[in-house]
């Protein structure tokens, strides 16, 4: 046997293969969406992936301790950034989400998706076991989730706010808070839906209503969903073939390279391509779930579960949206959609989970 | 609710809870994943057919290619209406996004004037959805390519290389042929034919174009193209050529039609020429007329206003819709009726310059002395016919007039006739609830009073007198029985003889209008119709509107009638002065074209050019005048 140097052994080849597989497939779709061109999307996306992947691998070498120690600081920092967005962020695409840092446009709400999970994991890791079923276990978490979620809703960005909430709630759930709290919260939430609905912006309300009855606006907001379903449905089992999708190439599918990229892919690759991509995501999530189950520290367990959920939420909401199962909310498909912010978030999650994985390989497990 | 006392939570217990709950979360995620896969399989397998169809209908756009319209040709196959290649651009209102910008660009690129912009804006307001609005037709290659180059920035603009209706003789056939135009929203609602909202498609709007619409329209071609969501054509998929509409053959003689129209000059009136052998209408002219070419191109509002404002009424077909008192042109008919009712044509009556009826004295045009029937026609002696009418009563004459086609509505393609009145006692009782009086008879017999006819009827009447048969006018090859009239040969011969004298005997009222030909003579009868009572002037001068109408009926050659005609010159002051010379020239044209054209050239030099030259000049002058007092309109 050829001896493999430990430095190379330590590189998570399997994970890199999964990530590259998904992104590589995405690059083919972007190449096709640009009418058979590497520009303007595919090449840039590829370069960006390489940079972020390297960054994730580097983050993964950091000791886990650092993330735990800096989690509150990071949380407060990102919260301040969100406040700054409210105060001096600029308006783009009808909502106020970005901070212009000069060299790039930063979207702090994306950072919050990661930060909230890490901060809550830290909180529950520190919480004495005996307090798990007390009010002490509840209210700080609710405040920590509520503040950023409210700020993001003000932007307004319903998708990201939901993502922050779901990441936080999952951390609360796996940290062992009483089951019935979630059950009753869900019941209250369901009852309060009409009230919550009234807090939504007009255009968000419209999206929800149109989602419930797409025929009411076939040329307006319902257009996205129906064209997306046409693209997916017309692909059939085998698809129309690479570079042969008419829906995306003839501009019938809006946002065919970002939010609706799955439809672009499904039209040309069919059900087979769709299932392959789902399988890729399954492998990624299975890896991250295993990282959580094998984590050596409680912080690692909770953070990994929450980050898995964050990635999953992206995938699930995006796919439900393009298949007409959810209203149109601006959530990209991880690694697949063209765009830097979401890839940055996903790769940060992956990096932190790599750190958790490395941590559990080095030390002894404290839990069963 | 009393709750069960739970065991204290230890780190180990918390670890187990975590594992269990993490598996629940993972399981839920897996379930969602499976649901998504199932949903995708459902859409792409079960609903596949439906979505394939929808994506195809997205991708492929079926564009109709407007069919070329069938030609309308004259008796010898010469085109009265044909097609020519036309470059055009339209606006599809639904695709017009930046209206101000696009219209502004078009205005500069194509140098559209205020008139056109006004029409475009009006059409845009009236148009529905995808119904195209014509911007400009008959563009030059340079204009067309200047638009093509800028097409990407001009949303909603549809350029097209198509065919446009063309009328080679312009205004000469305006009332006869009618015109075509883009279908309006109502017409589309009626048929729901997608062709009706295809740019460049025209339907017949008036006259024969409308009447023969079904024959002329043809079959549209189709062009399957791949289009983007914004409607941009990516490539052609397949094309099916159009089928041109059928040709309509008319009985009209195109050259004669044009000659007659030109010979009418600046007068307002109508002239109809009928072939005495079969009722073929050889010319069917009403002047002044509109140029159907300008209607086909989408007439500008100011040109339409100009036509409407003209007191010579170029928009009314006077040949079928102009009603006139026929005046003395009715005398040959009265003569036939008189003979049929037992009056000997050689019986003489003495004209003393009028006829006394009770206390009223009905005036004659002169003091003709002792006249027989033929002379009475020749000299147009009113007294003689007053005497006849007083003796027989008009109820004896009216049926003959009706048999001659007066007061009758003919089955004539594409015409919309007003058929006037041949009065009798029953008619008067019904209409005015008054008995017929002897003075009514006297007025009616000289074609005044209640009598009104249109020029077409007069021409038919003449053709029937000339042929002795009950001819029906026709514009297309259509079979009528054309039975002989139930009159004695003597009656018809007397009427014809009288008409012969009118033109060819010294002292006849149309003596100056003898044909300048050897061996061919024309018979005729002049008529002068009072427009108003004599109290508004004597009808021979003064305001144009109050002058008498001049009428003439005639046929030629006298010995073997072939062509019959009727001419009405509105406010021409007298049949011999205004109408007969026109008839003389176009009758000459039928036998000797060169001679007639020489005469016409002299006339047109005096009138200021051909019909089109005069119309263009008049329009320009009118526009200049009309725009001065109202500066808003010019913009």
């Amino acid at each position: 046997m050829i001896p493999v140097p430990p430095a190379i052994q330590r590189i998570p080849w399997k994970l890199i293969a999964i990530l590259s597989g998904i992104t590589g497939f995405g690059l083919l779709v972007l190449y096709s969406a640009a009418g058979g061109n590497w520009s303007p999307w595919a090449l840039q996306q590829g370069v960006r992936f390489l940079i972020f992947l390297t960054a994730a691998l580097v983050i993964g070498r950091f000791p886990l301790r650092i993330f735990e120690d800096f989690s509150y600081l990071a949380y407060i920092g990102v919260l301040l950034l969100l406040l700054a967005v409210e105060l001096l962020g600029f308006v783009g695409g009808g909502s106020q989400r970005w901070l212009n840092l000069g060299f790039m446009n930063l979207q702090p709400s994306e950072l919050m998706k990661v930060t909230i999970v890490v901060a809550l994991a830290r909180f529950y890791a520190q919480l004495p076991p005996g307090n798990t079923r007390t009010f002490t276990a509840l209210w700080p978490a609710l405040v920590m989730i509520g503040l950023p979620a409210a700020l993001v809703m003000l932007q307004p960005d319903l998708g990201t706010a939901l993502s922050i909430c779901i990441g936080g709630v999952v951390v609360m759930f796996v940290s062992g808070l009483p089951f019935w709290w979630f059950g009753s919260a869900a019941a209250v939430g369901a009852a309060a839906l009409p009230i919550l609905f009234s807090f939504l912006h007009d255009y968000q309300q419209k999206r929800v209503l149109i989602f419930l009855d797409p025929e009411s606006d076939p040329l307006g907001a319902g257009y996205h969903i129906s064209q997306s379903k046409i693209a997916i449905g017309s692909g059939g089992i085998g698809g129309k073939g690479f570079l042969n999708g008419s829906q995306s190439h003839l501009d019938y599918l809006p946002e065919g390279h970002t939010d609706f990229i799955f439809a672009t892919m499904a039209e040309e690759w069919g059900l087979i391509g769709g299932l392959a991509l789902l399988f890729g995501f399954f492998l990624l999530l299975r890896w991250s779930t295993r990282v959580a189950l094998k984590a050596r520290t409680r912080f690692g367990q909770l953070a990994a579960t929450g980050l898995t959920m964050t990635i999953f939420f992206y995938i699930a909401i995006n796919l439900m949206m393009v298949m007409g199962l959810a209203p149109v909310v601006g959530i990209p498909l991880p690694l697949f959609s063209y765009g830097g912010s979401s890839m940055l978030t996903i790769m940060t999650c992956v990096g932190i989970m790599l750190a958790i994985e490395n941590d559990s390989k080095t030390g002894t497990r404290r839990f069963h | 609710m009393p709750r069960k006392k739970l065991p204290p939570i230890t780190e180990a217990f918390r670890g187990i809870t975590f594992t269990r709950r993490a598996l629940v979360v993972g399981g839920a995620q897996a379930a969602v994943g499976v649901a998504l896969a199932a949903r995708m399989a459902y859409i792409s397998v079960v609903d596949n057919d439906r979505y394939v169809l929808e994506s195809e209908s997205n991708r492929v756009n079926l564009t109709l290619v407007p069919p070329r319209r069938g030609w309308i040709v004259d008796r010898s196959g010469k085109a009265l209406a044909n097609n020519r290649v036309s470059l055009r651009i339209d606006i599809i209102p639904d695709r017009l996004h930046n209206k101000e910008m696009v219209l502004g660009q078009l205005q500069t690129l194509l140098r559209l004037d205020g008139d056109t912009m006004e029409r475009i804006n009006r059409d845009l307001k009236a148009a529905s959805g995808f119904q195209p609005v014509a911007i400009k037709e008959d563009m030059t290659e340079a204009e067309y390519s200047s638009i093509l180059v800028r097409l990407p920035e001009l949303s909603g603009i549809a350029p097209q290389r198509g065919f446009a209706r063309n009328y080679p003789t312009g205004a000469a056939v305006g009332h006869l042929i009618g015109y075509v135009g883009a279908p309006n929203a109502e017409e589309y609602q009626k048929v729901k034919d997608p062709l009706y909202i295809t740019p460049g498609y025209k339907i017949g709007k008036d006259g024969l174009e409308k009447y023969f619409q079904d024959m002329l329209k043809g079959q549209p071609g189709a062009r399957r193209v791949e289009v983007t969501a914004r409607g941009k054509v990516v490539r052609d998929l397949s094309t099916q050529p159009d089928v041109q509409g059928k040709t309509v053959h008319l009985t009209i003689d195109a050259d004669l039609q044009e000659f007659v129209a030109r010979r009418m000059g600046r007068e307002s009136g109508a002239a109809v020429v009928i072939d005495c052998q079969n009722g073929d209408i050889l010319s069917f002219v009403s002047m002044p007329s509109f140029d159907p070419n300008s209607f086909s191109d989408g007439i500008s509002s100011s040109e339409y206003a100009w036509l409407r404002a003209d007191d010579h009424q170029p928009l009314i077909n006077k040949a079928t819709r102009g009603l006139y008192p026929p005046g003395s042109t009715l005398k040959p008919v009265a003569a036939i009726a008189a003979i049929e009712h037992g009056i000997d044509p050689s019986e003489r009556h003495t004209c003393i310059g009028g006829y006394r009826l009770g206390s009223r004295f009905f005036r004659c045009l002169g003091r003709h002395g002792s006249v027989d029937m033929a002379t009475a026609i020749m000299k147009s002696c009113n007294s003689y016919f007053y005497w006849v009418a007083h003796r027989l009563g008009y109820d004896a004459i009216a049926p003959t007039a009706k048999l001659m086609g007066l007061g009758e509505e003919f089955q004539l393609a594409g015409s919309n006739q007003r058929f006037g009145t041949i009065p009798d006692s029953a008619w008067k009782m019904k209409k005015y609830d008054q008995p017929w009086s002897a003075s009514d008879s006297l007025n009616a017999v000289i074609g005044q009073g209640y009598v009104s006819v249109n020029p077409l009827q007069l021409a038919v009447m003449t053709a029937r007198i000339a042929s002795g048969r009950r001819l029906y006018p026709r514009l297309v090859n259509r079979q009528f029985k054309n039975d002989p009239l139930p009159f004695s040969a003597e009656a018809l011969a007397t009427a014809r003889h009288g008409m012969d004298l009118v033109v060819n005997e010294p002292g006849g009222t149309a003596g100056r209008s003898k044909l300048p030909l050897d061996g061919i003579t024309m018979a005729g009868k002049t008529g002068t119709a009072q427009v108003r009572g004599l109290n508004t002037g004597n009808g021979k001068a003064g305001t144009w509107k109050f002058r008498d109408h001049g009428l003439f009926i005639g046929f030629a050659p006298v010995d073997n009638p072939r062509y019959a005609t009727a001419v009405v010159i509105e406010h021409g002051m007298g049949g011999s002065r205004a109408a007969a010379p026109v008839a003389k020239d176009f009758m000459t044209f039928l036998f000797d074209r060169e001679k007639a054209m020489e005469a016409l050239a002299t006339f047109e030099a005096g009138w200021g050019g051909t019909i089109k030259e005069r119309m263009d000049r008049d329009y320009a002058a009118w526009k200049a005048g009309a725009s001065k007092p109202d500066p808003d309109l010019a913009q």
Side-chain angles (χ1 to χ4, degrees), chain A residues 85-162:
Chain A
V85 166
E86 279 310 311
L87 298 176
L88 41 95
F90 70 87
V91 176
S95 48
Q96 189 176 341
R97 295 177 185 174
W98 292 271
L99 265 186
N100 193 337
L101 297 185
F103 65 96
M104 71 174 281
N105 288 330
L106 184 70
Q107 194 175 340
S109 56
E110 283 290 332
L111 295 178
M112 185 47 90
K113 289 181 191 171
V114 182
T115 317
I116 185 71
V117 169
V118 180
L120 276 177
R122 162 98 194 259
F123 171 71
Y124 284 111
Q126 282 183 331
L127 191 75
N131 281 354
T132 305
R133 290 189 185 129
T134 63
F135 192 56
T136 323
L138 186 62
W139 71 264
L142 288 183
V143 171
M144 282 169 77
I145 297 172
L147 281 177
L151 283 173
V152 173
M153 273 304 286
L154 279 176
Q155 288 183 353
D157 186 350
L158 179 64
T160 307
L162 279 176

Side-chain angles (χ1 to χ4, degrees), chain B residues 283-485:
Chain B
S283 114
F284 196 75
V285 171
S286 169
M287 293 300 282
S289 181
F290 53 87
D291 186 342
N293 288 308
S294 10
F295 275 84
S296 307
D297 301 345
I299 192 165
S300 72
S301 60
S302 82
E303 189 174 357
Y304 193 67
W306 167 62
L307 289 171
R308 283 181 63 109
D310 192 338
D311 64 347
H312 285 34
Q313 294 179 305
L315 292 172
I316 291 178
N317 184 355
K318 299 176 187 92
T320 51
R321 294 194 56 77
L323 290 180
Y324 308 92
S328 308
T329 56
L330 231 50
K331 283 172 182 164
V333 174
I336 291 170
I339 295 169
E340 290 300 311
H341 283 83
I343 293 181
D344 182 350
S346 58
E347 195 177 340
R348 304 184 84 83
H349 174 77
T350 306
C351 170
I352 54 161
Y355 184 83
R356 181 164 299 281
L357 178 75
S359 62
R360 282 182 69 188
F361 189 69
F362 285 76
R363 296 178 65 85
C364 185
L365 298 169
R367 188 183 286 267
H368 298 111
S370 171
V371 289
D372 65 0
M373 197 179 280
T375 320
I377 294 174
M378 174 182 103
K379 295 187 170 172
S380 203
C381 178
N382 287 353
S383 304
Y384 181 89
F385 287 96
Y386 290 147
W387 169 68
V388 168
H390 194 198
R391 207 165 126 185
L392 298 176
Y394 201 72
D395 278 358
I397 300 169
T400 305
K402 285 176 183 164
L403 267 176
M404 289 300 185
L406 301 180
E408 186 173 344
E409 188 175 13
F410 302 108
Q411 296 174 292
L412 189 65
S415 71
N416 182 359
Q417 302 162 41
R418 287 174 71 201
F419 47 87
T421 310
I422 293 299
D424 55 24
S425 56
W427 172 86
K428 193 184 177 191
M429 188 54 81
K430 198 176 157 208
K431 175 121 184 177
Y432 295 105
D433 200 21
Q434 278 171 4
W436 189 263
S437 70
S439 61
D440 287 335
S441 290
L442 267 56
N443 273 325
V445 81
I446 60 157
Q448 297 285 162
Y450 298 121
V451 186
S452 66
V453 300
N454 67 37
L456 173 65
Q457 289 167 345
L458 284 179
V460 171
M461 174 186 84
T462 313
R464 289 184 181 179
I465 293 172
S467 68
R469 286 185 299 143
R470 200 168 177 185
L471 288 178
Y472 283 93
R474 61 179 196 179
L475 279 169
V476 288
N477 187 11
R478 179 172 184 159
Q479 291 307 312
F480 291 107
K481 277 164 85 183
N482 297 339
D483 296 325
L485 288 164

